[in-house]
C-alpha cells in the first residue's frame, strides 16, 4: 500500500539529487513500508521532473553581473558598485542524464524499491487549483504548477476519500496550504 504522501516536484527531486540533503534519510524512512519507498505524485509533477533534470543536463555557465541595486546610506540612496557572481553549474554527463531518466521511468512504473503512484490531472483537479489561486494568489507566493499539485490533493480527497499530505520544501506553497487547511510536510523539518 502506498503511503499517503504526495510529493511536489522539489520533494520528488530529492531522490535524484547528489549529494542528498541531511534530512533525506528521515524522509525516506517516513515513506518506507515493507522495504519499499512509496508515495504519490501528481501527473504535473511527472512532467515537471523532466524539466528539472533537463535543466541540470544543460548546466549553467558562470556569470558576473554588475549589481544595479540601490541602498540607503544614512538617508542617501546610493548605487551598489559590487559585482554579483553566479557560480553556474556543470552539465550532467550523458550517461548520468540517461540513468536519471531511467530511474524516473522505473519509479513511475513502480519497478524497484522506490515506487510512485501517479494521481491523474483531471478537470476536478484543475477546478480546485483555480479556486486555490483565486483565493490566495494575492496573499501567498505560489504558482500555477504548485496550485495544480495542491488541487490534486483536494480532488483526490473529494473523489477517493484519500487524505494525502503534500510534501514540499516551498515556503510560499506551505503558507497557502496552512491557510487552506491542506495537510503538508516540510521534509527539512523532520
Amino acid at each position: 500500500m502506498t503511503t499517503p504522501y504526495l510529493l511536489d516536484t522539489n520533494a520528488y527531486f530529492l531522490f535524484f539529487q547528489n549529494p542528498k540533503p541531511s534530512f533525506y534519510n528521515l524522509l525516506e524512512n517516513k515513506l518506507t513500508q515493507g522495504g519499499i519507498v512509496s508515495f504519490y505524485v501528481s501527473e504535473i509533477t511527472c512532467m515537471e521532473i523532466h524539466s528539472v533534470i533537463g535543466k541540470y543536463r544543460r548546466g549553467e555557465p558562470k556569470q558576473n553581473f554588475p549589481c544595479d541595486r540601490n541602498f540607503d546610506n544614512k538617508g542617501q540612496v546610493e548605487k551598489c558598485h559590487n559585482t554579483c557572481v553566479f557560480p553556474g553549474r556543470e552539465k550532467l554527463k550523458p550517461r548520468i542524464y540517461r540513468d536519471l531518466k531511467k530511474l524516473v521511468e522505473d519509479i513511475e512504473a513502480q519497478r524497484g524499491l522506490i515506487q510512485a503512484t501517479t494521481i491523474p490531472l483531471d478537470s476536478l483537479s484543475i477546478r480546485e487549483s483555480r479556486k486555490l489561486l483565486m483565493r490566495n494568489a494575492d496573499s501567498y507566493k505560489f504558482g500555477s504548477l504548485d496550485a495544480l499539485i495542491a488541487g490534486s490533493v483536494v480532488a483526490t480527497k473529494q473523489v477517493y476519500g484519500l487524505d494525502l499530505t503534500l510534501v514540499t520544501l516551498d515556503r510560499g506553497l506551505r503558507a497557502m496550504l496552512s491557510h487552506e487547511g491542506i495537510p503538508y510536510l516540510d521534509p527539512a523539518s523532520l
Side-chain angles (χ1 to χ4, degrees):
M1 180 177 170
T2 306
T3 53
Y5 292 98
L6 184 134
L7 277 58
D8 76 350
T9 307
N10 59 32
Y12 188 27
F13 182 68
L14 295 172
F15 291 97
F16 311 100
Q17 197 171 344
N18 188 21
K20 303 269 190 251
S22 59
F23 56 83
Y24 173 80
N25 288 334
L26 296 172
L27 175 63
E28 188 179 83
N29 289 340
K30 193 160 202 61
L31 300 175
T32 300
Q33 281 188 326
I36 302 290
V37 178
S38 64
F39 50 88
Y40 293 88
V41 289
S42 170
E43 193 171 5
I44 196 71
T45 297
C46 293
M47 292 172 52
E48 203 176 7
I49 197 68
H50 291 283
S51 174
V52 174
I53 292 171
K55 176 179 80 173
Y56 280 84
R57 169 66 182 121
R58 292 187 308 272
E60 200 171 78
K62 178 180 177 183
Q63 298 176 13
N64 297 322
F65 294 101
C67 182
D68 61 357
R69 293 185 179 198
N70 295 320
F71 62 94
D72 187 342
N73 187 10
K74 298 180 184 172
Q76 295 214 322
V77 176
E78 295 182 12
K79 192 165 188 89
C80 180
H81 298 289
N82 291 320
T83 300
C84 294
V85 177
F86 296 94
R89 182 179 48 249
E90 285 189 41
K91 291 181 178 185
L92 282 180
K93 292 181 166 84
R95 189 187 107 263
I96 293 172
Y97 177 64
R98 184 193 67 230
D99 291 349
L100 288 175
K101 285 176 43 173
K102 173 76 167 104
L103 181 57
V104 169
E105 183 182 308
D106 288 345
I107 289 171
E108 293 173 9
Q110 299 185 338
R111 292 187 297 259
L113 298 177
I114 304 172
Q115 300 180 359
T117 300
T118 303
I119 301 290
L121 188 59
D122 57 14
S123 58
L124 179 59
S125 297
I126 293 170
R127 275 195 307 276
E128 292 301 325
S129 303
R130 186 177 298 126
K131 289 178 191 177
L132 291 170
L133 280 169
M134 290 180 355
R135 286 194 302 261
N136 298 294
D138 64 330
S139 301
Y140 303 102
K141 185 179 177 183
F142 70 104
S144 301
L145 296 178
D146 294 331
L148 286 168
I149 293 167
S152 295
V153 170
V154 173
T156 299
K157 183 173 184 177
Q158 291 175 11
V159 173
Y160 302 106
L162 181 60
D163 282 319
L164 294 173
T165 299
L166 203 160
V167 181
T168 182
L169 293 155
D170 187 310
R171 189 166 69 179
L173 177 57
R174 289 193 321 261
M176 183 276 293
L177 295 169
S178 178
H179 175 77
E180 287 287 328
I182 299 171
Y184 69 88
L185 172 71
D186 175 4
S189 69
L190 291 173

